Amino acid sequence: MTKKPIKFVLNGREVQAFVSPDDSVVDLLRELDHFGARESCGQGLCGCCTVLIDGVSVTGCLELALLLDGKRINTVEGLDADGQLSAVQQAFIDTGAFQCGFCTPGFILMIEQLLDENPDPTDDEARDYLSGNLCRCAAYPEILSAVRNAAMKRKTAQGADA
Amino acid sequence: MSFELISPNTLRDALDLLDVDDPSIRPFSGGTALRLMMKSGVFSPSKLVVLRGIPDLSGIEISDDGSLTIGALSTLAEVETSALVARQVPVLAGALKHLSNRRVRNVARIGGAIAHGDPHMDLPPLLSALNAEVIVESRNGRRHIAVEDLVIGYYETLLEPDELIVALRIPAQDDWHSAYRKVTARSADDWPALGVATSISHEGKEIRDIRLVVGAATERPTRLDISEGVLRSEGVAGLPRAVEAAMESVEVMDDSHGSATWKKALLGVELRRSVEEILGRNA
């Protein structure tokens, strides 16, 4: 199978790779030693493979890697690039919002997006937004507390900046 | 699986790449449905013609007559969050909130969703009830197809392999009011086990005209002609008869979302509720 060269920006760093037409974004990330996005259901239902492409959440196991050419991609690995966990990551630890942790990177990226769009979501809005992320440990109540906790942390941080 | 991925920059180039005699060359927009078929081995393309780089095929516009034109490459999320859609066809914005999840809606395109022809979809019955049409283009020109006529069977549409949906047109709804009732077997945003789309032109409780379309329980989205006729002639008093007629006349199929018996019972319930919802809401 003919591999083609692509160039993209992964968590702020320019990357070149050779990819096959049927490689998914998750396949490519694994080759680049990025294991945060995981394929689980393989159908776009579970959200374990969530990545952000040009700032928009996308199902990484369905998206074709070749289509990353020229794009910006962000994964969970980039969230603590400055050496500090993001508010959402810290909130997951503070509220114990995971057990096995398999779904956690996907939830965290979706919640980052949710709070960017809606800094103070109600529980119903959060449930609605996260309906495409599944947690088989059923840590849903704790995940909702993490959303509230992260929203608070972000507000406090903004207050401190102002 | 080996295939070629080509990303044309113009509609003309995209149309030139398609071949009426070769269905293994497929247009690819969001890919959220087609990729499932590729991953499960149901479909092996020779070429995918990626439409995402084509300008002028997205955007949502309103005409002087109040109709909406939605570019085929608009994502479902763009349609869901459009202020124009919320104002002109709120039922569509509402249905999209429970159509799969946010990530899929960020990527899936409205043209692809209509062209796919899977009977388990929310948009074809709803857009049929709204009397919408698609504008279709090939190298040989343009044609308009009513969404109601587009799907002719199980994963079968009137589209030729060299044709692309370029836009969706939803007429002004004027005094028509609509509801879409979706039943799922698992989560609320699952593929529908049953979808009932209803549009009624009415004054108070008096029904002037009505369009009823069932999806997901049938081989293709299906107009409930007999029930419509009953409600047109007898008004809301004919609702029990219209419900009965729907359950008797429609060929409901079993699938992994539920048995035909269950779906048929639900069709009756949801049809009654949808008519009551619209007439009650706008009373």
Side-chain angles (χ1 to χ4, degrees):
Chain A
M1 183 167 301
T2 356
K3 290 198 172 199
K4 279 193 179 167
I6 59 167
K7 257 195 217 174
F8 58 101
V9 177
L10 172 58
N11 295 326
R13 214 163 37 88
E14 224 175 272
V15 176
Q16 286 194 49
F18 283 86
V19 295
S20 301
D22 66 340
D23 281 345
S24 71
V25 166
V26 171
D27 294 333
L28 172 61
L29 287 172
R30 297 186 81 78
E31 273 175 44
L32 298 171
D33 290 338
H34 281 57
F35 302 106
R38 298 89 186 249
E39 178 157 351
S40 183
C41 77
Q43 301 178 43
L45 304 173
C46 75
C48 292
C49 63
T50 301
V51 296
L52 309 184
I53 297 179
D54 285 349
V56 176
S57 61
V58 164
T59 301
C61 77
L62 294 181
E63 189 71 0
L64 291 168
L66 268 177
L67 298 177
L68 280 183
D69 196 26
K71 307 261 182 209
R72 259 180 321 114
I73 176 165
N74 290 86
T75 68
V76 74
E77 286 89 348
L79 287 180
D80 63 345
D82 58 0
Q84 209 176 358
L85 295 178
S86 77
V88 180
Q89 287 177 310
Q90 190 59 53
F92 263 66
I93 295 171
D94 294 350
T95 60
F98 48 85
Q99 289 184 48
C100 82
F102 194 86
C103 68
T104 308
F107 267 103
I108 285 178
L109 286 171
M110 283 306 281
I111 295 168
E112 297 278 354
Q113 290 260 291
L114 166 65
L115 296 180
D116 286 350
E117 285 174 32
N118 180 358
D120 203 8
T122 63
D123 281 2
D124 275 353
E125 285 168 339
R127 278 196 195 96
D128 205 41
Y129 201 91
L130 300 173
S131 72
N133 289 69
L134 303 181
C135 169
R136 301 322 303 263
C137 307
Y140 297 111
E142 290 78 9
I143 291 169
L144 282 178
S145 332
V147 173
R148 291 189 292 263
N149 185 295
M152 198 98 79
K153 282 188 164 69
R154 279 187 170 208
K155 254 187 276 177
T156 312
Q158 251 171 7
D161 286 347
Chain B
M1 195 195 330
S2 185
F3 57 89
E4 200 185 340
L5 203 65
I6 310 170
S7 299
N9 295 315
T10 67
L11 177 60
R12 168 57 39 182
D13 288 348
L15 293 173
D16 281 343
L17 287 161
L18 300 176
D19 183 342
V20 71
D21 297 317
D22 188 353
S24 76
I25 303 172
R26 275 287 281 262
F28 183 97
S29 54
T32 50
L34 199 59
R35 285 279 290 137
L36 300 184
M37 298 178 110
M38 289 164 61
K39 284 176 114 177
S40 62
V42 174
F43 177 65
S44 300
S46 62
K47 270 183 205 168
L48 291 179
V49 179
V50 180
L51 306 176
R52 295 184 192 178
I54 302 174
D56 309 327
L57 284 189
S58 52
I60 302 171
E61 282 167 18
I62 185 162
S63 307
D64 292 339
D65 65 1
S67 66
L68 281 187
T69 303
I70 302 178
L73 289 182
S74 306
T75 64
L76 299 187
E78 281 162 357
V79 179
E80 173 193 353
T81 56
S82 152
L84 274 177
V85 171
R87 198 178 75 206
Q88 299 296 112
V89 268
V91 67
L92 177 58
L96 283 167
K97 291 210 183 327
H98 299 282
L99 191 162
S100 190
N101 57 58
R102 187 55 187 259
R103 266 185 326 280
V104 168
R105 297 198 296 273
N106 279 341
V107 175
R109 299 331 203 247
I110 193 115
I114 301 168
H116 192 53
D118 182 337
H120 294 101
M121 295 181 97
D122 297 304
L123 292 178
L126 175 57
L127 294 171
S128 301
L130 294 171
N131 209 8
E133 62 174 14
V134 285
I135 301 164
V136 171
E137 205 162 312
S138 75
R139 268 160 299 188
N140 305 318
R142 252 176 191 229
R143 58 177 179 144
H144 294 226
I145 305 174
V147 175
E148 183 191 342
D149 300 328
L150 185 72
V151 182
I152 54 174
Y154 194 75
Y155 285 100
E156 226 185 316
T157 69
L158 281 180
L159 296 171
E160 297 292 340
D162 66 341
E163 283 184 316
L164 285 177
I165 293 177
V166 293
L168 166 71
R169 206 187 135 271
I170 304 174
Q173 296 298 303
D174 301 322
D175 57 352
W176 286 81
H177 299 97
S178 306
Y180 178 65
R181 299 194 62 95
K182 168 176 178 166
V183 178
T184 58
R186 297 174 296 200
S187 60
D189 57 3
D190 195 7
W191 300 87
L194 171 79
V196 177
T198 306
S199 279
I200 308 180
S201 158
H202 66 101
E203 211 177 291
K205 300 265 180 216
E206 192 192 323
I207 295 173
R208 280 193 290 253
D209 202 355
I210 184 162
R211 296 171 65 87
L212 299 170
V213 188
V214 57
T218 46
E219 192 184 52
R220 45 162 301 222
T222 305
R223 272 294 279 277
L224 301 172
D225 303 314
I226 305 174
S227 306
E228 287 179 6
V230 171
L231 289 165
R232 259 185 227 112
S233 60
E234 297 178 23
V236 71
L239 191 52
R241 280 230 307 125
V243 164
E244 216 172 286
M247 292 168 70
E248 270 168 24
S249 64
V250 175
E251 198 179 323
V252 175
M253 300 191 322
D254 286 317
D255 60 25
S256 62
H257 299 267
S259 70
T261 320
W262 179 67
K263 291 187 180 205
K264 194 168 267 197
L266 283 174
L267 168 60
V269 172
E270 295 302 335
L271 176 56
R272 178 175 55 75
R273 284 182 182 164
S274 74
V275 172
E276 288 173 352
E277 180 190 327
I278 294 172
L279 296 180
R281 193 200 305 151
N282 299 290

